[in-house]
């Protein structure tokens, strides 16, 4: 059993409290979805549960984390650099349980996940695998180790749709409890039976955590209904308060006018007016006391807000891309003399403000193709294109702060970028943190602002929704759906594909279909 008692987590650098007096007990059958905005401490909580030393360099905590008899299987959000340099075989054989596996069972597991079983013995480096392939290999090793509880930090990131469907079934049918973070709303809707929602209120100065047994759609619907009802009650009570206050003011003004006008020769009338004024004051004081118990306006952490590409548009007849490639190939391990051919006869034509999505199985070459397309489009002089890679470190200097990366150093642009970052729910301290200290979602927000400030009319987006919270992603989708330029994206996010994209291509060995 995992039991957490009175846990408080605080950032060492800015002393911001992420969780305060947090209590949780996870039981068999629990499928606990951990949700919240970017940078609120979701990944930190998983690290503290699994191995506190993974987070102790940047947070301090108080309270108890009781792991009685549990053997955790932990999937990190990012594969550590040391493990990226391992081969698939070295990574899997790092656990002794690999040698205890029946080859047929291993083959069946690989078939379920959609990973060729012969590659378990490969000398391919983990670092050269696609994002989805890395996740699959990690899941295979976790399941081989037969944990009693799973801690999964973004298991749905980069998985192809076929494997996402498998992951949904795996979580639903898991005999052991699962505590997981995911930004895939479809996966949350289909798997969670318990919600843990971490929020940061009042400009990230006050933490709040909600723990409730319910499914994700019900939680979101009830949350909206509850806030709307509370807000309506609060507004009605404040209108009544204002009406009564206006009434008291009129009565007081009338009595004060009569007191000023009454003749000194009428002491009896003056005494009556004085009593009237006392009664009015008493009524007002009593009403003020009742106001102290009025319904408060609801507090909740809003998703980020920005408008994307306000001035951008592209003519309907403008040829954005007329591309052909005979073979798409990637280098394999050092022993291979020839590169691996992933696809042939690739043709892609984009005209006007089309929103295109490329999907396909993990490892089919989508990101490789996107890099080639980005190189071509970024060189164009008749268009202005910007590229958001799957790995943000291709563009981000992790030692820079968000303000340094986004501005040119002038006072005007620094002030403007701070305003933009504020609209993305960055605190003043977070704006000045080096980007290596930011969460994946916060880095994604910086990338989104970078694209916005470029003033481009073509966006190349490799998994644009992968690191945004399920509460932010509807905002992202709405922004991109309204974007008047062209979008060429890679995604397995089913809601993104349905709401943003006009046309979907699947990358296969025989090209784009």
């Amino acid at each position: 059993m995992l039991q957490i008692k009175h846990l408080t987590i605080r950032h060492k650098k800015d002393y911001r409290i992420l969780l305060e007096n947090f209590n949780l007990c996870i039981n068999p059958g629990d499928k606990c979805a951990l949700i919240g905005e970017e940078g609120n401490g979701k990944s930190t909580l998983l690290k503290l549960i699994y191995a506190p030393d993974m987070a102790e360099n940047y947070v301090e905590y108080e309270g108890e984390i009781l792991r009685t008899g549990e053997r955790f299987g932990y999937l990190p959000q990012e594969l550590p650099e040391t493990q990226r340099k391992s081969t698939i075989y070295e990574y899997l054989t790092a656990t002794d349980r690999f040698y205890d596996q029946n080859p047929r069972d291993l083959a069946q597991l690989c078939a379920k996940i959609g990973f060729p079983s012969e590659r378990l013995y490969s000398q391919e480096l983990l670092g050269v695998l696609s994002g989805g392939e890395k996740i699959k290999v990690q899941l295979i090793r976790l399941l081989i180790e037969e944990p009693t509880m799973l801690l999964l930090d973004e298991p749905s990131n980069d998985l192809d749709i076929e494997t996402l469907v498998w992951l949904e079934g795996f979580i639903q049918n898991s005999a052991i409890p699962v505590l997981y973070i995911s930004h895939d709303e479809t996966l949350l809707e289909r798997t969670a039976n318990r919600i843990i929602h971490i929020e940061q209120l009042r400009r990230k100065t006050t933490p709040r955590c909600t723990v409730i047994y319910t499914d994700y759609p019900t939680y979101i619907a009830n949350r909206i209904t509850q806030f709307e009802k509370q807000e309506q009650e609060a507004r009605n009570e404040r209108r009544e308060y204002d009406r009564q206050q206006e009434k008291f003011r009129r009565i007081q003004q009338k009595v004060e006018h009569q007191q000023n006008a009454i003749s000194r020769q009428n002491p009896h009338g003056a005494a009556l007016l004085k009593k009237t004024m006392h009664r009015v004051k008493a009524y007002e004081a009593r009403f003020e006391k009742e106001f102290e118990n009025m319904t408060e306006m609801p507090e909740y952490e809003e998703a980020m807000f920005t408008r994307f590409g306000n001035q951008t548009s592209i003519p309907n007849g403008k040829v954005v891309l007329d591309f052909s490639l005979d073979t798409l190939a990637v280098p394999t391990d050092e022993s291979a003399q020839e590169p691996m051919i992933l696809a042939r006869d690739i043709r892609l034509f984009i005209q006007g403000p089309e929103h295109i999505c490329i999907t396909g199985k993990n490892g089919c070459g989508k990101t490789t193709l996107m890099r080639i397309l980005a190189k071509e489009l970024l060189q164009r002089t008749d268009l202005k294109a910007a590229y958001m890679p799957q790995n943000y470190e291709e563009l981000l200097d992790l030692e820079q702060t968000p303000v340094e990366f986004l501005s040119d150093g002038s006072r005007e642009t620094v002030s403007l970028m701070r305003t933009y970052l504020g609209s993305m729910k960055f605190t003043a301290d977070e704006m000045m943190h080096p980007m290596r200290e930011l969460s994946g979602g916060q880095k994604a927000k910086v990338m989104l602002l970078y694209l916005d400030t470029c003033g481009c009319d073509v966006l190349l987006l490799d998994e644009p929704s992968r690191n945004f919270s399920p509460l932010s992603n509807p905002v992202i989708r709405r922004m991109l759906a309204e974007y008047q330029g062209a979008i060429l994206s890679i995604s397995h996010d089913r809601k993104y594909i349905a709401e943003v994209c006009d046309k979907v291509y699947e990358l296969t060995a025989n090209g784009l279909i």
Side-chain angles (χ1 to χ4, degrees):
M1 176 186 293
L2 171 66
Q3 191 169 11
I4 300 174
K5 296 182 178 180
H6 309 296
L7 180 65
T8 295
I9 306 174
R10 182 183 289 103
H11 258 299
K12 286 183 177 179
K13 189 164 187 176
D14 56 21
Y15 302 106
R16 181 163 61 94
I17 297 176
L18 300 175
L19 274 177
E20 189 169 33
N21 198 29
F22 174 65
N23 296 282
L24 179 69
C25 181
I26 294 184
N27 301 303
D30 282 353
K31 313 296 189 298
C32 304
L34 184 56
I35 66 171
E37 289 300 306
E38 298 78 11
N40 280 5
K42 303 184 297 296
S43 295
T44 298
L45 178 58
L46 285 193
K47 290 175 183 176
L48 287 176
I49 292 171
Y50 179 67
D53 60 322
M54 294 175 65
E56 285 179 339
N57 63 326
Y58 66 94
V59 296
E60 55 189 20
Y61 68 97
E62 304 166 356
E64 293 182 278
I65 302 176
L66 306 176
R67 309 169 180 85
T68 310
E70 293 293 353
R71 186 172 63 253
F72 294 113
Y74 172 64
L75 178 78
Q77 187 177 124
E78 298 289 345
L79 194 65
E81 184 62 34
T82 54
Q83 293 181 338
R84 292 182 194 180
K85 297 176 182 178
S86 301
T87 67
I88 295 176
Y89 183 69
E90 288 171 342
Y91 176 76
L92 292 174
T93 55
T95 172
D96 293 336
R97 289 176 178 266
F98 180 82
Y99 299 105
D100 298 332
Q101 299 300 305
N102 182 305
R104 187 172 68 177
D105 293 339
L106 276 176
Q108 289 176 346
L109 176 59
C110 288
K112 287 180 180 178
I113 293 182
F115 191 81
S117 58
E118 61 270 15
R119 292 179 70 188
L120 299 183
Y121 309 93
S122 168
Q123 295 304 304
E124 295 174 81
L125 296 179
L126 286 178
V128 303
L129 301 182
S130 71
E133 287 176 318
K134 290 188 185 80
I135 296 288
K136 290 180 178 182
V137 173
Q138 290 177 85
L139 284 173
I140 289 169
R141 176 167 145 175
L142 280 186
L143 297 176
I144 286 173
E145 292 176 339
E146 298 181 350
T148 59
M149 182 180 295
L150 286 172
L151 307 174
L152 308 178
D153 195 346
E154 294 294 350
S156 54
N157 266 6
D158 308 321
L159 292 182
D160 56 44
I161 293 176
E162 184 178 335
T163 311
L164 276 173
V165 172
W166 171 85
L167 181 63
E168 289 168 0
F170 170 76
I171 293 175
Q172 287 170 342
N173 301 319
S174 174
I176 62 175
V178 186
L179 173 60
Y180 62 104
I181 301 167
S182 179
H183 297 159
D184 188 311
E185 293 158 78
T186 305
L187 182 135
L188 290 173
E189 291 168 357
R190 295 178 179 177
T191 58
N193 61 16
R194 194 176 185 188
I195 304 298
I196 303 169
H197 187 180
I198 299 176
E199 297 179 89
Q200 293 279 305
L201 309 175
R202 300 174 186 171
R203 296 183 180 271
K204 296 193 175 182
T205 61
T206 305
R208 178 173 71 190
C209 188
T210 304
V211 181
I212 185 170
Y213 270 106
T214 189
D215 59 82
Y216 183 73
T218 301
Y219 172 71
I220 294 298
N222 289 347
R223 174 181 163 87
I224 293 171
T225 300
Q226 176 186 340
F227 284 155
E228 288 176 346
K229 180 180 178 182
Q230 183 179 343
E231 183 175 352
Q232 187 60 46
E233 289 176 355
R235 291 187 186 281
N236 290 341
E237 291 175 10
R238 279 159 179 72
R239 276 196 294 269
E240 177 61 17
Y241 172 79
D242 292 340
R243 191 183 70 80
Q244 290 290 350
Q245 286 292 87
E246 179 61 28
K247 178 180 177 181
F248 288 136
R249 279 194 292 272
R250 288 199 305 270
I251 294 173
Q252 287 180 25
Q253 289 171 358
K254 180 178 179 181
V255 174
E256 287 171 356
H257 175 74
Q258 289 174 342
Q259 283 179 321
N260 293 332
I262 197 167
S263 169
R264 291 183 180 178
Q265 284 75 31
N266 187 2
H268 178 68
L272 288 176
L273 287 174
K274 190 174 182 179
K275 287 182 179 179
T276 301
M277 181 61 81
H278 279 312
R279 284 199 302 273
V280 171
K281 292 288 186 184
Y283 284 138
E284 185 177 20
R286 191 160 56 209
F287 186 73
E288 287 286 354
K289 187 161 182 148
E290 291 176 1
F291 177 70
E292 293 176 1
N293 298 319
M294 286 177 66
T295 303
E296 295 183 356
M297 293 293 285
E299 286 191 282
Y300 52 92
E301 185 178 27
E302 295 179 312
M304 62 178 200
F305 174 77
T306 186
R307 281 185 59 107
F308 197 82
N310 292 338
Q311 308 302 321
T312 298
S313 63
I314 194 167
N316 290 332
K318 177 71 175 178
V319 175
V320 175
L321 188 68
D322 189 357
F323 177 82
S324 61
L325 184 67
D326 291 336
T327 58
L328 178 67
V330 293
T332 55
D333 56 77
E334 296 179 358
S335 63
Q337 297 183 359
E338 298 292 335
M340 179 189 299
I341 295 176
L342 300 175
R344 299 180 186 275
D345 300 324
I346 294 174
R347 304 288 181 268
L348 183 60
F349 182 81
I350 302 175
Q351 184 173 9
E354 288 188 291
H355 291 183
I356 304 295
C357 182
I358 297 175
T359 67
K361 293 186 176 182
N362 293 130
C364 69
K366 299 183 296 298
T367 293
T368 302
L369 176 60
M370 178 65 85
R371 289 192 181 115
I372 296 171
L373 296 173
K375 185 176 180 180
E376 178 166 321
L377 282 166
L378 290 171
Q379 293 175 344
R380 290 271 291 273
T381 56
D382 59 326
L383 292 170
K384 187 165 186 182
Y387 174 42
M388 181 179 183
Q390 186 181 120
N391 179 9
Y392 308 137
E393 294 177 23
E394 291 180 27
L395 287 182
L396 296 180
D397 179 349
L398 298 185
E399 299 307 313
Q400 282 188 314
T401 69
V403 172
E404 288 171 341
F405 174 75
L406 293 168
S407 71
D408 60 11
S410 67
R411 181 179 299 178
E412 292 78 10
T413 60
V414 166
S415 176
L416 184 61
M417 291 307 117
R418 291 178 70 90
T419 300
Y420 284 164
L421 286 164
S423 75
M424 290 285 199
K425 307 304 177 186
F426 278 77
T427 66
D429 286 328
E430 288 169 337
M431 296 176 196
M432 304 311 295
H433 285 182
M435 280 187 282
R436 58 180 164 76
E437 296 182 5
L438 301 182
S439 70
Q442 288 174 312
K443 292 173 189 171
K445 287 181 175 182
V446 173
M447 287 300 307
L448 198 67
L449 277 176
Y450 165 73
L451 298 182
D452 193 13
T453 55
C454 283
C456 48
D457 42 27
V458 180
L459 298 178
L460 298 114
L461 310 174
D462 194 344
E463 297 285 357
S465 62
R466 66 191 294 264
N467 278 315
F468 291 108
S469 79
L471 303 174
S472 288
N473 261 323
V475 181
I476 299 292
R477 293 196 298 270
R478 187 162 57 250
M479 288 161 42
L480 292 175
E482 294 171 356
Y483 178 65
Q484 296 300 305
I487 297 177
L488 176 58
S489 56
I490 295 170
S491 183
H492 301 126
D493 182 332
R494 289 155 286 186
K495 288 186 181 291
Y496 172 87
I497 293 170
E499 296 176 21
V500 176
C501 304
D502 309 317
K503 191 180 295 183
V504 181
Y505 290 92
E506 181 183 3
L507 180 58
T508 72
N510 298 315
L512 290 168
I513 299 174

